Amino acid sequence: MSIIVAFANGFISLFQAGATVFIGWIKTIVPLVLILLVAMNALIALIGEKRINSFAKVCAKSPFLRYMVLPVVGVFMLCNPASLTLGRFFPEFYKPGYVASAMEFNHTNMGLFPHVNPGELFIYLGIANGIKTLGLSTTDLAVRYFLVGLVLNLISGWATDFTVRFVEKQQHIRLSRKIGVPNTVLTEV
């Protein structure tokens, strides 16, 4: 009988721990994301969706702008995870690459812009502490981390584009490369 009681207590404890984490999220990350989304939508309303679409069209034409410039601007201004919402202004084909690039940049600019992803600042600070212990400059580390991140953003975005092309062929669809143009089913499966 004691085994069944211990199992039941352990089972309910699992859900109690999940509820505690959920309540923690309700008090911290959920309001933050909600406010960031409201702020971004207000900014979009002030600037105008037409202007933002025009800027996204310009960025969508060049992989360098698409995977290096826009993620830097988005992550710096909107932080993680709100920067991912800028992908909504891209044609469907480029959205996965943008998300891959922006997610990568959320990590590689921690040394210069710690406000971007404070939840993972401990990783950068751990590396920086080791560099400082060796007597080296943490500023050099931060700049190199940032520059390597830019290159990795480009590689990540492009690699995702190649993956999307593969999935298009596999699924017999063609995702739109222009804003406002619907996706196309190439053949019925």
Side-chain angles (χ1 to χ4, degrees):
M1 186 66 169
S2 63
I3 294 173
I4 295 172
V5 170
F7 176 77
N9 282 333
F11 185 75
I12 197 68
S13 294
L14 176 69
F15 291 98
Q16 289 170 335
T20 302
V21 169
F22 180 70
I23 293 299
W25 286 352
I26 294 296
K27 293 179 180 177
T28 57
I29 192 73
V30 171
L32 174 65
V33 171
L34 182 64
I35 295 303
L36 285 171
L37 288 173
V38 168
M40 181 170 172
N41 285 329
L43 184 65
I44 290 166
L46 289 171
I47 295 171
E49 196 163 331
K50 195 173 187 177
R51 286 188 184 123
I52 292 175
N53 276 331
S54 296
F55 181 66
K57 283 180 185 177
V58 169
C59 288
K61 292 177 184 176
S62 165
F64 295 101
L65 293 174
R66 187 169 56 237
Y67 301 133
M68 292 176 87
V69 173
L70 193 62
V72 170
V73 172
V75 169
F76 180 76
M77 298 297 285
L78 300 172
C79 303
N80 182 30
S83 61
L84 300 177
T85 60
L86 286 177
R88 78 181 187 155
F89 296 106
F90 279 110
E92 292 298 317
F93 179 81
Y94 298 117
K95 285 179 181 180
Y98 173 77
V99 169
S101 182
M103 287 302 290
E104 182 114 12
F105 197 68
N106 279 324
H107 306 289
T108 58
N109 65 357
M110 295 297 297
L112 297 176
F113 311 115
H115 72 283
V116 168
N117 200 7
E120 294 192 16
L121 185 58
F122 69 93
I123 295 170
Y124 174 78
L125 291 177
I127 296 167
N129 190 37
I131 295 296
K132 194 173 182 180
T133 301
L134 293 172
L136 301 172
S137 170
T138 55
T139 304
D140 290 347
L141 171 68
V143 170
R144 288 184 175 121
Y145 204 47
F146 178 84
L147 294 174
V148 166
L150 285 176
V151 173
L152 290 177
N153 288 352
L154 182 63
I155 293 169
S156 178
W158 258 344
T160 303
D161 285 352
F162 289 120
T163 305
V164 169
R165 282 188 187 97
F166 176 78
V167 173
E168 279 183 325
K169 288 178 185 174
Q170 180 191 34
Q171 298 297 315
H172 305 288
I173 62 169
R174 179 168 167 80
L175 296 176
S176 65
R177 267 76 167 168
K178 295 182 180 181
I179 294 174
V181 176
N183 298 327
T184 312
V185 175
L186 299 177
T187 59
E188 292 298 322
V189 181

